[in-house]
Amino acid sequence: MSEYIPSPTDWVREQVEVYEGSGGTDGTTLRDTGLPVIIVTNRGNRTGAIRKTPLMRVKDADNYILVGSRGGAPTNPVWVYNLRADGSVQIRDGTAVYDMRVREVDDAEERARLWDVAVAAFPPYEDYRNRTERVIPVFVAEPA
Ligand code: F42
């Protein structure tokens, strides 16, 4: 079992602690928005360590859509590179935990459809897209 390295960002690390520590009954929304969050567990592509990243819960049938928005910051979140290197993840959605396989969405049509699904779940994604020059990475997590 590899070492778990918590996020260096206080509020993110704290959300993971409360969410996982409660078994998925507490800390499951983004601050006071009431909008649901999932926890993605994967490996770091350099350290091989276990990483845990809260993301907004965007569902498309049985799949989860992962959006690398990072609030519209100019650079991609690091987890994007981890998932490109190794697409094997666990997703915690409340009290349920699933083994899933992640792939990045390149096809323009698929991306456009999934982007709309993501914005319907979390409208600020559209502001984040307008705020940044980069193309925000979108991944699909499918049951492994
Ligand atoms: N971020 C999003 O991009 N989209 C969301 O929908 C989203 C929702 C959300 C909801 C709740 C919440 O608490 C946070 C939310 N976030 C969302 C923020 C998200 O959880 C991440 O904090 C954010 O996307 C930044 O991700 P990051 O991977 O860049 O995190 C940084 C702060 C980080 O952990 N950096 C580590 C560090 O030590 O600096 C690096 C970790 C790492 O993976 N290292 C790799 C390794 O091998 O271990 C090496 C990677 C490399 O290539 O160097």
Side-chain angles (χ1 to χ4, degrees):
M1 189 61 187
S2 301
E3 183 192 1
Y4 163 51
I5 306 183
S7 171
T9 307
D10 289 350
W11 68 277
V12 172
R13 185 178 61 248
E14 281 156 20
Q15 174 141 38
V16 172
E17 275 168 21
V18 174
Y19 200 134
E20 297 239 312
S22 67
T25 56
D26 276 343
T28 60
T29 62
L30 174 67
R31 301 197 193 96
D32 54 1
T33 62
L35 294 172
V37 168
I38 58 171
I39 307 279
V40 179
T41 301
N42 64 283
R43 275 177 198 285
N45 71 95
R46 291 187 194 169
T47 58
I50 305 285
R51 300 284 184 179
K52 291 182 180 284
T53 305
L55 296 177
M56 299 318 295
R57 177 185 186 275
V58 181
K59 276 221 89 176
D60 183 46
D62 286 341
N63 299 338
Y64 291 85
I65 312 306
L66 315 182
V67 180
S69 54
R70 212 180 146 218
T75 56
N76 287 331
V78 174
W79 60 261
V80 162
Y81 303 102
N82 294 334
L83 294 192
R84 283 177 182 163
D86 179 357
S88 174
V89 301
Q90 253 188 8
I91 290 186
R92 174 179 281 282
D93 181 0
T95 56
V97 180
Y98 306 102
D99 288 322
M100 302 201 101
R101 190 78 219 157
V102 168
R103 66 177 169 86
E104 190 163 7
V105 178
D106 297 318
D107 178 74
E109 225 170 275
E110 184 183 27
R111 187 189 152 85
R113 184 182 76 78
L114 295 178
W115 183 261
D116 290 346
V117 173
V119 171
F122 187 61
Y125 281 145
E126 193 61 34
D127 305 328
Y128 299 164
R129 173 163 75 167
N130 294 330
R131 200 177 291 167
T132 184
E133 304 274 304
R134 70 187 164 96
V135 176
I136 291 180
V138 173
F139 295 83
V140 182
E142 296 161 321

